[in-house]
Amino acid sequence: MTFYPDGEVRIPHEKSPVPPAAAPDDPGAAARRFSRLMFRTALINGVILVAAVLLAYVFPVSDDENVALGIVIVAAVVCAAHMSWVVLGETRRRARAFQATKTGLYPG
């Protein structure tokens, strides 16, 4: 620890409280994370919808057209719920990170 003429105390090689990779105000890292999250969500939802179409029309589990339509509608509702869950979770995470920067606490 060193005392300077201006009265300030400076500690050599002091580490910052937040590592640079975990900085909550890095918009590039947040955008890349959100992009990867959306890509994974799209892949999962695409697999679910393709599986529903295969079950309904290619390898029909029933000859009734209403059952086939029901399978596709249920798959679409599941995919919409999954997308909403992912986007709301990311929104909550960003809100917590923003609140932490306002209070000086950083999420671990």
Side-chain angles (χ1 to χ4, degrees), residues 35-61:
S35 177
R36 284 190 308 267
L37 187 67
M38 286 293 106
F39 184 75
R40 282 192 305 256
T41 303
L43 281 178
I44 291 168
N45 289 346
V47 168
I48 290 172
L49 289 172
V50 166
V53 168
L54 287 175
L55 276 175
Y57 297 109
V58 178
F59 307 111
V61 293

Side-chain angles (χ1 to χ4, degrees), residues 17-103:
V18 177
D25 57 346
D26 182 12
R32 284 187 299 276
R33 181 183 186 282
F34 188 67
S35 177
R36 284 190 308 267
L37 187 67
M38 286 293 106
F39 184 75
R40 282 192 305 256
T41 303
L43 281 178
I44 291 168
N45 289 346
V47 168
I48 290 172
L49 289 172
V50 166
V53 168
L54 287 175
L55 276 175
Y57 297 109
V58 178
F59 307 111
V61 293
S62 175
D63 291 332
D64 189 12
E65 187 65 28
N66 290 332
V67 172
L69 185 61
I71 291 172
V72 173
I73 288 174
V74 167
V77 168
V78 166
C79 289
H82 179 242
M83 179 66 79
S84 298
W85 179 66
V86 168
V87 169
L88 287 175
E90 178 65 15
T91 303
R92 286 188 202 108
R93 190 196 65 76
R94 286 185 183 187
R96 281 193 308 268
F98 177 73
Q99 188 65 27
T101 59
K102 283 177 52 180
T103 60

